[in-house]
Amino acid sequence: MSLRPSSEIRDVKGISTVEKQRIKDFLQGAVYCWCKNRNDEWFSIRDLMGGENFDWTGNPMIALYQKHINKGKNDADAISDAGKDAGWLLKKVVSSDIRQFETTVDELVRKYKWVI
């Protein structure tokens, strides 16, 4: 495990194995871009997939939102729950990476930082 300190990793259910792998690959690319450009800064799923990257249409992340819409949730709840799922998948990506990452929780948000 490349996460310090280690912590619980939950599985995300309700999407296919292929969808999950595509999301993890997509997130790993986002992590590597962050590490290249901002290697001394903490990041969270909000930093990678929120703000100007909020609209997930056309990328693999949309499967998480669609999963919750298909369960009958309203838009706001589907967005919130998809974000939580994305956070668990990001944690899985970071923890299984060959690089070492630190982790912390700041204001209820899980954050990561590449240990150079």
Side-chain angles (χ1 to χ4, degrees), residues 61-72:
M61 303 295 292
I62 197 69
L64 297 174
Y65 170 79
Q66 197 59 52
K67 171 184 102 166
H68 292 287
I69 288 295
N70 291 345
K71 287 183 173 183

Side-chain angles (χ1 to χ4, degrees), residues 29-41 99 114:
V31 168
Y32 276 37
C33 285
W34 184 278
C35 291
K36 178 197 173 293
N37 296 307
R38 304 174 86 166
N39 62 27
D40 60 342
E41 296 180 37
R99 297 178 181 195
W114 180 31

Side-chain angles (χ1 to χ4, degrees), residues 12-83:
V12 172
K13 299 184 188 309
I15 58 174
S16 73
T17 303
V18 171
E19 289 170 322
K20 192 181 300 184
Q21 188 59 54
R22 288 190 67 218
I23 291 168
K24 287 172 21 183
D25 292 343
F26 187 75
L27 289 174
Q28 186 170 30
V31 168
Y32 276 37
C33 285
W34 184 278
C35 291
K36 178 197 173 293
N37 296 307
R38 304 174 86 166
N39 62 27
D40 60 342
E41 296 180 37
W42 291 92
F43 66 92
S44 69
I45 194 65
R46 289 180 186 175
D47 297 311
L48 302 177
M49 296 295 133
E52 57 275 355
N53 289 331
F54 169 74
D55 185 354
W56 295 350
T57 304
N59 75 53
M61 303 295 292
I62 197 69
L64 297 174
Y65 170 79
Q66 197 59 52
K67 171 184 102 166
H68 292 287
I69 288 295
N70 291 345
K71 287 183 173 183
K73 295 180 182 177
N74 65 40
D75 191 57
D77 289 342
I79 290 168
S80 176
D81 291 345

